Structures are given as C-alpha cells and as structure tokens.
C-alpha cells in the first residue's frame, strides 16, 4: 500500500504517517492508502488516534529532556549517559537529540489533517465527530505549547502539508503570536467540541484535559483570573463514578496511583468507560509493548534506577528541601526517593527495587496533567490576585496529605515570598512529572535558581538550540542566539 509522505516545515524531513500502532488497536494510518483516508468514521478514529501515537514518540525521551533535566531537581546519573548529562550541566550543542522537533511537527501535521478532513466525514453521531475534532484542536494546541516553551519562536503550520513544495520552508513565527492566534483559539474551539457526556478517557484529551492545558497557558501568559476560573470548571464534570477529576487525600493512595495505576494499563476502545481508580490523573501518555513493540516501553525505570545506566539522580538541591524546618517529616519523601548505589534515585513510580530485565519492559505512563498540579497552579494564581488565604487553603490540602503544617497568610511578608512557597510545594509534589523547568521559565526564576548550579545567566539560555540539521535544511531558519549560527 502506498504510504503518504510529507515534507514539513523547517526540518524539511519526510513526515510519513508512521506505521507504529496507536494505543487503541486501530489500524495504523500508514496502512491505509492515501486515496482512501479520511472517508469514514473509522478513518477519523484512526487518524486522531495517530496523533496520540506521535505524542508518545515525541515525549518518550523529551518528557524528561524538556521538562525535568534542565531544572534543579536532578543531577547527572551514570557517566555513560552523556546526552542527558550535557542537558543537565547546561552544555548543550546544536546536535542534541532533544533539539530535534521532527516528531512534534509530525504530530502537528496529523492534527492539521484531522482538523481539515474530520468535519467532512459523515458519522452516525455528530457528537462523536465533534469530539474527534475537539481532540485534534487540543492536541495541536498542546504541541505548539511545548514548541514555544522549548524553542521560543517556531515555524507555524495551521494547514496540513500533503505533498512537497517550497512552502514547507518557513521563517519562525513569534511565540506570542502563536499563543494568541493559535493555541488559545484552538483550546476555545476544543472546549466547545469535546463530548462532555461520553469522553471520560485519561489517555486522550477530555474536557478536563482541555481545561488543564488552557489553565497552564493562561498561567504562562499571566492571565491569572482566567486560569483560576478555568480550573474551577473541572469540579462540575461527572461520570458514572462521580466527579471525573478530584483530589486524592490519602498519601498511600497517592503512592499507589504512581506505582500501580500508571503501570501496564491496557488499551481502551471505550472512552465512556474510565478504567482508572484514581481521579487525580487528567491526561497522560500511555505505553503498551503489546501494541507497539519495543517502542512501547517507557524510560521511567531505565533512566532513574540502577547505577550503570541511570540518566539522572535527584540533586542535592532538591534533597535539601526536606531538611528545611517546615518540610521535615514529609510523607512524600520515602515514596519519592531512595539512596541507592551512591545516588538519590527517583522512586516515585517504583514500588521496590527494579531489575535490569524490568528496565526495558517498563510500561509506566507519563502524567502530563493531574489534579493536584491544577490545584497548586490555582493557588499560585490566587496568590498573584491577592487572595492569599484562598491560595493557602489549596496548598493546605496538599500539605495535609503529606503530613505537614501550612502557615497562614500572616506568615508571609510579600507576594514573592508566598509565590516561592507555592513553587517549592509544586517542586516537591510534581518531581519527575516534567513540570519543574517550565515553572522556572514561566515565573522568570530560571537564572536565580540555576546560575549557582550550572551557570545559566544569559538571556536566551532558557530555550533549547534548534537542531543543526533543521537549520541546514531550511535557509529561512535562524538559530537561537545563545547557541550561535550553527
């Protein structure tokens, strides 16, 4: 069968609709002849599912490279893991694997295809068609949100590239323009389209997933009132089990949701059936080796356990948080970290020691958004709006679960103090979830935090380099200034 290939954007790479199976056991898009795609409800389902397969390919490594390794959470692990160490030590060059945006633009192109063709597909239930379309808009928004946070200005494509032409070469579009003219409008469209009565899936975008991305974007743009209002909406979404997303008050259940709920979940063809016991998870990246072979295992065990090939350990700076007076006795510590072979290993996703054989059979999902993340974002938003007591009420829920005491508003002398306090709580609560680096950039604190650790001090160092191959292939691209002209 003929495979559809695209040459997309700045990378000038062939973007085939890849043959990796999606997580819902739908026939891969690449196995469908070009002339027959996007005709039926089954095509729509397969085409949208492929977006999630490409998200898995994009974030399998970059979840950690982009969101965790540049932060003060981690230090280099084994000496053989040089790629990760360069990112952690702020020694990146333009040939880093994490500087490639190829699969991310494949995802964007697949979303653009769905946005173009799904509206024209006749389906028995228009709500299902709208739901697929809403997921495509939300996933395009999420992909561009990652892109601008990682590289700043990036090439913009809002129409699918279906054949090679010179139009694939584009200059970089201002990141603020992408935020205001693509990401936020896409999320607002998704909000109107997602099926709130049937889509209760955490491996793909639900209405709460749309709101989670939207709240994150509003925080990034300083629209704190909108972020606060958006997070509030999540409490009104119910499934047959009650609220769809909710706070988990038990520390034991908190531990179990990472070590059991994320591990080796089956694929799911029925979005109306929620197979998760916890309501904490809003959206996650799913891994399943039965569906996609060796590409279906995640790096959650391999990169964080065993002295021989672990990519990173928890840093001294992170561990010192637990020595602060108000953090002593934090119940999360023993569930999060273990001193093993001269390194403080991230054990948040492991119930015990992990053998070498399990390292490459790991099917632990990656949380992109969960409800406690949203509550702490909301606390920050309210603090910035001058609602300090309301902010601390939200933080108290999280600290109560951790066995800690929460101060009152009278204990803080300034907004900056309370914001730092909330950010520290986010750091401990969300370690290993790809959030800390983005928090540092979003709040403008990356220099003050990272300069003493790895020398970050120059404007422009907060973004990644663009891979040199993209710059060579597209003469209209200009490298991020910190990394020179290569």
């Amino acid at each position: 069968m003929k495979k559809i290939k695209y040459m997309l954007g700045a990378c000038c790479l062939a973007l085939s609709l890849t043959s990796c199976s999606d997580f819902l056991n739908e026939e891969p898009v690449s196995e469908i002849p070009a002339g027959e795609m996007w005709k039926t409800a089954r095509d729509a389902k397969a085409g949208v599912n492929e977006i999630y397969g490409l998200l898995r390919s994009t974030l399998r490594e970059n979840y950690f490279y982009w969101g965790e390794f540049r932060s003060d959470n981690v230090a280099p692990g084994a000496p053989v893991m040089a790629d990760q160490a360069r990112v952690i030590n702020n020694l990146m060059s333009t040939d880093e694997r994490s500087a490639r945006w190829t699969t991310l633009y494949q995802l964007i192109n697949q979303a653009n295809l769905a946005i173009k063709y799904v509206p024209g597909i006749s389906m028995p239930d228009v709500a299902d068609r709208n739901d697929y379309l809403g997921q495509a808009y939300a996933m395009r928004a999420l992909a561009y949100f990652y892109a601008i946070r990682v590289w700043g200005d990036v090439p913009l494509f809002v129409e699918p590239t279906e054949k090679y032409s010179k139009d694939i070469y584009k200059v970089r579009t201002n990141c603020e323009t992408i935020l205001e003219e693509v990401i936020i409008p896409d999320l607002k469209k998704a909000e109107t389209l997602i099926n709130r009565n049937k889509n209760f899936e955490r491996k793909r975008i639900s209405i709460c997933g749309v709101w989670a991305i939207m709240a994150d974007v509003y925080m990034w743009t300083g629209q704190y009132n909108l972020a606060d209002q958006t997070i509030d909406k999540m409490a009104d979404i119910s499934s047959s089990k009650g609220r769809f997303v909710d706070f988990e008050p038990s520390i034991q259940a908190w531990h179990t949701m990472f070590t059991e709920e994320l591990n080796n979940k089956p694929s799911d063809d029925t979005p109306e059936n929620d197979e998760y016991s916890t309501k904490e998870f809003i959206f996650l990246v799913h891994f399943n080796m039965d569906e996609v072979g060796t590409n279906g295992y995640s790096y959650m065990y391999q990169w964080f356990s065993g002295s021989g090939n672990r990519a990173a350990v928890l840093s001294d700076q992170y561990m010192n948080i637990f020595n602060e007076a108000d953090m002593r006795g934090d119940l999360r510590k023993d569930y999060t970290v273990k001193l093993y072979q001269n390194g403080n290993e991230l054990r948040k996703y492991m119930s015990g020691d992990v053998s070498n054989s399990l390292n490459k059979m790991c099917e632990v999902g990656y949380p992109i958004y969960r409800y406690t993340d949203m509550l702490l974002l909301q606390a920050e938003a309210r603090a910035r709006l001058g609602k300090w007591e309301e902010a601390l009420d939200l933080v108290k829920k999280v600290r109560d679960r951790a066995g800690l005491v929460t101060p009152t508003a009278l204990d803080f002398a300034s907004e900056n103090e309370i914001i730092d306090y909330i950010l520290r709580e986010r750091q401990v609560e969300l370690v290993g979830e790809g959030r800390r680096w983005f928090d540092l950039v979003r709040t403008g604190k990356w220099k003050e935090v990272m300069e003493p650790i790895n020398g970050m001090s120059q404007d422009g160092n907060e973004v990644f380099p663009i891979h040199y191959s993209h710059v060579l292939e597209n003469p209209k691209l200009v490298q991020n200034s910190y990394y020179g002209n290569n």
Side-chain angles (χ1 to χ4, degrees), residues 409-428:
L410 295 175
D411 294 306
F412 296 93
S414 67
E415 180 181 298
N416 196 54
E417 277 189 18
I418 194 170
I419 294 299
D420 284 345
Y421 179 80
I422 294 169
L423 288 174
R424 187 193 63 173
E425 195 61 36
R426 284 182 60 79
Q427 181 177 11
V428 174

Side-chain angles (χ1 to χ4, degrees), residues 178-224:
I178 295 174
L179 273 166
E180 295 300 325
E181 297 184 9
V182 179
I183 294 174
I184 293 175
D186 276 2
L187 292 168
K188 289 180 177 179
K189 290 175 185 174
E191 186 179 25
T192 67
L193 292 165
I194 293 286
N195 190 332
R196 305 183 188 194
N197 299 314
K198 184 177 179 180
N199 181 347
F200 297 108
E201 175 58 73
R202 303 176 199 271
K203 302 192 197 89
R204 56 180 162 192
I205 296 290
S206 65
I207 185 60
C208 289
V210 173
W211 287 331
I213 305 168
M214 189 179 287
D216 203 6
V217 170
Y218 284 144
M219 291 297 291
W220 191 269
T221 57
Q223 299 179 79
Y224 304 119

Side-chain angles (χ1 to χ4, degrees), residues 136-393:
Y137 273 116
M139 288 294 286
R140 183 171 74 176
L142 180 61
Y144 274 122
F145 190 39
Y146 268 110
I148 65 168
R149 288 181 294 173
V150 174
W151 291 284
D153 301 344
V154 293
L156 176 63
F157 295 83
V158 292
E159 297 292 335
T161 301
E162 302 181 72
K163 62 182 179 180
Y164 174 80
S165 78
K166 63 181 181 180
D167 294 334
I168 65 170
Y169 301 108
K170 290 193 175 185
V171 299
R172 299 166 70 183
T173 297
N174 180 271
C175 60
E176 299 297 330
T177 299
I178 295 174
L179 273 166
E180 295 300 325
E181 297 184 9
V182 179
I183 294 174
I184 293 175
D186 276 2
L187 292 168
K188 289 180 177 179
K189 290 175 185 174
E191 186 179 25
T192 67
L193 292 165
I194 293 286
N195 190 332
R196 305 183 188 194
N197 299 314
K198 184 177 179 180
N199 181 347
F200 297 108
E201 175 58 73
R202 303 176 199 271
K203 302 192 197 89
R204 56 180 162 192
I205 296 290
S206 65
I207 185 60
C208 289
V210 173
W211 287 331
I213 305 168
M214 189 179 287
D216 203 6
V217 170
Y218 284 144
M219 291 297 291
W220 191 269
T221 57
Q223 299 179 79
Y224 304 119
N225 193 49
L226 289 175
D228 182 21
Q229 294 172 15
T230 300
I231 294 167
D232 265 346
K233 295 177 183 179
M234 296 181 187
D236 295 330
I237 300 301
S238 298
S239 68
S240 60
K241 298 180 181 180
R243 276 184 57 167
F244 179 51
V245 297
D246 206 351
F247 180 75
E248 177 55 71
S250 162
I251 190 64
Q252 183 58 54
W254 181 90
H255 172 58
T256 301
M257 75 182 180
F258 292 111
T259 57
E260 296 180 17
E261 285 281 303
L262 286 175
N263 194 12
N264 196 27
K265 281 289 183 182
S267 59
D268 186 10
D269 283 310
T270 53
E272 64 272 18
N273 294 332
D274 177 16
E275 71 270 25
Y276 287 84
S277 299
T278 182
K279 298 177 182 179
E280 271 272 356
F281 296 122
I282 297 173
F283 178 54
L284 52 88
V285 178
H286 176 251
F287 290 89
N288 190 317
M289 291 179 69
D290 288 340
E291 296 167 350
V292 291
T294 56
N295 287 330
Y297 81 84
S298 68
Y299 287 109
M300 201 68 86
Y301 291 171
Q302 184 176 341
W303 278 10
F304 295 98
S305 66
S307 62
N309 64 348
R310 62 188 177 197
V313 293
L314 292 174
S315 68
D316 291 343
Q317 289 80 9
Y318 178 82
M319 294 304 302
N320 285 338
I321 295 174
F322 296 110
N323 296 325
E324 297 176 20
D326 67 329
M327 295 297 291
R328 292 171 189 161
D330 191 328
L331 298 175
R332 293 169 294 191
K333 180 181 177 182
D334 288 343
Y335 288 138
T336 299
V337 60
K338 179 177 180 178
L339 182 60
Y340 183 75
Q341 296 185 349
N342 300 315
N344 287 301
E345 288 193 346
L346 177 68
R347 292 296 183 95
K348 189 173 187 175
Y349 300 88
M350 308 173 201
S351 57
D353 290 333
V354 177
S355 69
N356 289 334
S357 62
L358 284 175
N359 271 340
K360 292 192 176 182
M361 296 173 62
C362 173
E363 296 176 317
V364 173
Y366 297 168
I368 304 300
Y369 292 108
R370 63 181 176 93
Y371 193 58
T372 302
D373 177 359
M374 292 294 105
L375 290 181
L376 291 173
L377 270 187
Q378 189 171 35
E380 182 186 336
R382 290 183 177 178
R384 294 184 185 278
L385 293 169
K387 302 174 182 179
W388 291 12
E389 289 289 1
E390 291 183 24
L392 291 169
D393 285 344

